[in-house]
């Protein structure tokens, strides 16, 4: 292997960690908006029910993106441990 391979893997790993952080921040923002929408149109349900329904809606709409990010991170972590 050349000398740049381990460095490239480490850089990709940290870039994917940053992508994961941005994706989670975007999901939190979307969760907040979804909760406000649910609260506006369904204010008779309890706080926990509205949060649970908003969380379920946001996570199920973006689960493929999260699985892809976590899979790439797992692969990169395995590569970094094997170096």
């Amino acid at each position: 292997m050349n000398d740049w391979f381990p460095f490239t893997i480490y850089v990709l790993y940290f870039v994917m960690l940053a992508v994961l952080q941005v994706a989670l921040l975007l999901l939190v923002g979307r969760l907040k908006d979804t909760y406000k929408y649910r609260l506006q149109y369904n204010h008779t349900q309890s706080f926990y029910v509205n949060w649970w329904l908003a969380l379920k809606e946001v996570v199920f709409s973006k689960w493929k993106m999260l699985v892809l990010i976590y899979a790439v991170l797992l692969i990169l972590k395995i590569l970094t441990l094997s170096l």
Side-chain angles (χ1 to χ4, degrees):
M1 278 192 227
N2 62 20
D3 296 334
W4 287 98
F5 183 71
F7 178 72
T8 306
I9 296 298
Y10 286 123
V11 168
L12 284 175
Y13 180 71
F14 287 115
V15 166
M16 284 306 294
L17 281 176
V19 167
L20 177 65
Q21 293 298 315
V22 169
L24 290 177
L25 283 174
L26 289 173
L27 284 178
V28 167
R30 184 169 172 168
L31 176 64
K32 182 180 71 169
D33 294 339
T34 304
Y35 175 72
K36 284 181 183 177
Y37 176 79
R38 287 191 166 279
L39 191 61
Q40 182 180 5
Y41 291 105
N42 197 3
H43 58 276
T44 57
Q45 290 184 339
S46 73
F47 170 80
Y48 298 109
V49 171
N50 276 329
W51 265 110
W52 172 249
L53 292 175
L55 180 69
K56 205 165 65 169
E57 180 180 331
V58 169
V59 169
F60 285 142
S61 69
K62 297 295 180 186
W63 70 273
K64 291 178 185 176
M65 176 187 66
L66 288 175
V67 168
L68 177 68
I69 291 171
Y70 277 114
V72 170
L73 274 172
L74 179 67
I75 291 168
L76 290 171
K77 184 65 177 179
I78 290 170
L79 283 172
T80 59
L81 290 176
S82 66
L83 293 176

